[in-house]
Amino acid sequence: MMNKDIFVKLLQERRYKSVKDVLDVMNAVDIALLLSELEDKELAIAFRLIPKDEASDVFSNMSSTMQAYLVEIFTEKELKELLDNLYMDDTVDMLGEFPANLVTRILDTVDSSKRDDINLLLNYPDDSAGSIMTTEYVALKKD
């Protein structure tokens, strides 16, 4: 696990290439744990340095407080990229814990098809199979 003090020092010194190198070799859970120890400003900078293909995995492993903070500060483009890569069930779980203003912002960001899927999943009662399922699946052809 990366030492928080060293990581913060790299951020403060703006050694972003070194920060990216550290983040590239860490798994999503460890990154989320490390970021949970950072101040808000450092969190925002560090999250933006996570490789795009891993950012949604890290985000889904963060606390709802950290997620809400990031959603508030993200640009529309950043939010759309994140939501496009987040699994539907993770998105729905996140929305269940956010205040109404953030839910509205997220729903305004996604396309109408994804918004319809989100609303469908949100309507299932808690603790039902529908509340924990996802609409995404893999289809394999016989050949």
Side-chain angles (χ1 to χ4, degrees), residues 35-102:
L35 297 185
S36 71
E37 299 179 28
L38 302 180
E39 299 295 321
D40 286 351
K41 181 180 176 186
E42 296 160 345
L43 168 63
I45 293 168
F47 190 85
R48 287 181 169 116
L49 296 172
I50 297 170
K52 297 286 185 228
D53 59 336
E54 192 171 8
S56 59
D57 288 337
V58 173
F59 188 83
S60 64
N61 282 288
M62 292 177 155
S63 70
S64 59
T65 305
M66 290 172 59
Q67 290 174 337
Y69 170 72
L70 290 174
V71 168
E72 284 180 20
I73 65 162
F74 280 163
T75 64
E76 294 301 314
K77 181 181 181 216
E78 288 171 321
L79 188 55
K80 181 159 179 34
E81 284 177 3
L82 177 73
L83 293 169
D84 285 347
N85 293 317
L86 204 58
Y87 289 112
M88 185 62 64
D89 56 328
D90 289 335
T91 303
V92 172
D93 289 344
M94 172 185 68
L95 291 176
E97 297 185 25
F98 280 3
N101 64 321
L102 294 182

Side-chain angles (χ1 to χ4, degrees), residues 76 79-80 82-84 88 91 94-95 103-119:
E76 294 301 314
L79 188 55
K80 181 159 179 34
L82 177 73
L83 293 169
D84 285 347
M88 185 62 64
T91 303
M94 172 185 68
L95 291 176
V103 172
T104 301
R105 180 165 187 238
I106 288 171
L107 291 176
D108 287 346
T109 303
V110 297
D111 63 50
S112 62
S113 170
K114 194 164 189 171
R115 187 171 34 255
D116 291 343
D117 287 344
I118 290 169
N119 285 324

